[in-house]
Amino acid sequence: MSEDDRSMLGRAFLVLGSFTSERPRLSQSELSRRTGLPLPTVHRLCRQLVGNGALERVDDGHYEIGVRLWELGALAPRAHGLRQVALPYLEDLYEATRENVQLVVREDLEALYIERLSARGAVTVVGRAGGRLPLHASSGGLVLLAFGGTDLLDEVLAAGLERFTPSTITTEHRLRSTLDDIRRTGWVTCREHLNVGTLAVAAPVSRSTGEVVAAVSVVVPAEKDPAPLIPAVRAAARGISRGVA
């Protein structure tokens, strides 16, 4: 691959990375501002990405992520294979709670939701399947951080602990103490760490080698007692762990 090809690929990823759950539809001018690329370059990239199905152009001239990217993403073993193994256990947990049940993996310094099951009347939460949240502020993220090693923790601390609610963990001492508790107990409870009015319980999913590859969490109204949820979440996580290669 030539230097120009690599450069073009990098610019294409800049364009694709501009789309977020908050801004899933963008114009060429908005893409130019977000990427810092000249408008003619964005125009050329959008035309090529549409031609390959990575972007779709809607009637008003804006662009959306194309279905081809979803097809490719569905082939990723870390998400697709894990989701297939996990889904029966997530469905059982959902039936038991009728709330938000989630499966997350780590992607860099964020928790990536690869599955979420929610009832119509479930408590409202931040995040969605395919969305990301900071590791320090979500129950699943804290589980992944607890077993992610010292280098990961150092990176998270260096990036800063953003506050989302008055209960968000924002100090190194409290974060380290929480992670120690997770490693000791095998679960975590987060009351209003990310959303006011919610309580989350999470537990790790691990390979036979002990490597933690994901976390299962359930999110319920903050006034609920977490005690009955803990064994249910841990049982789901253990079930998934048995099926993880």
Side-chain angles (χ1 to χ4, degrees):
M1 181 181 289
S2 70
E3 190 65 33
D4 285 345
D5 288 337
R6 284 193 293 269
S7 179
M8 183 62 74
L9 182 61
R11 291 196 291 264
F13 270 96
L14 278 177
V15 169
L16 295 173
S18 297
F19 294 87
T20 66
S21 58
E22 292 77 24
R23 296 299 304 275
R25 180 178 292 188
L26 297 169
S27 67
Q28 288 189 7
S29 296
E30 290 170 324
L31 287 168
S32 178
R33 287 195 298 271
R34 284 172 173 248
T35 61
L37 296 173
L39 193 56
T41 300
V42 170
H43 175 75
R44 184 170 66 254
L45 286 168
C46 286
R47 185 175 67 249
Q48 293 172 340
L49 290 168
V50 168
N52 287 282
L55 286 182
E56 294 179 1
R57 190 173 187 273
V58 293
D59 292 341
D60 63 0
H62 285 64
Y63 292 86
E64 299 175 334
I65 293 294
V67 174
R68 180 58 178 155
L69 285 187
W70 177 85
E71 291 177 320
L72 292 172
L75 298 176
R78 190 157 66 99
H80 179 64
L82 179 59
R83 181 182 174 276
Q84 281 189 315
V85 170
L87 202 51
Y89 299 97
L90 298 178
E91 289 172 342
D92 287 346
L93 186 57
Y94 166 79
E95 289 297 332
T97 62
R98 286 289 170 174
E99 288 288 353
N100 300 283
V101 173
Q102 302 163 148
L103 180 69
V104 303
V105 297
R106 183 173 70 84
E107 184 67 23
D108 197 18
L109 301 185
E110 296 175 302
L112 173 64
Y113 290 79
I114 62 174
E115 185 57 84
R116 166 177 284 165
L117 305 178
S118 298
R120 184 184 298 274
V123 64
T124 302
V125 297
V126 171
R128 59 180 178 81
R132 300 172 181 236
L133 292 172
L135 294 176
H136 75 281
S138 57
S139 60
L142 283 168
V143 167
L144 296 170
L145 184 56
F147 296 98
T150 56
D151 288 347
L152 175 61
L153 177 57
D154 289 344
E155 288 186 65
V156 168
L157 290 171
L161 305 178
E162 182 180 353
R163 182 184 297 277
F164 294 88
T165 75
S167 298
T168 304
I169 297 174
T170 56
T171 67
E172 179 177 348
H173 174 76
R174 185 181 170 203
L175 180 58
R176 288 186 181 275
S177 176
T178 299
L179 299 181
D180 286 341
D181 287 342
I182 294 170
R183 288 188 286 267
R184 177 175 54 83
T185 64
W187 54 271
V188 67
T189 297
C190 300
R191 192 182 300 274
E192 299 187 317
H193 283 202
L194 190 60
N195 309 323
V196 173
T198 66
L199 178 144
V201 177
V205 173
S206 58
R207 301 185 191 277
S208 58
T209 59
E211 177 194 3
V212 171
V213 295
V216 175
S217 65
V218 61
V219 185
V220 301
E223 63 270 15
K224 284 201 172 184
D225 179 7
L229 299 172
I230 295 168
V233 173
R234 296 191 71 189
R238 285 195 300 268
I240 299 168
S241 296
R242 287 193 294 269
V244 174

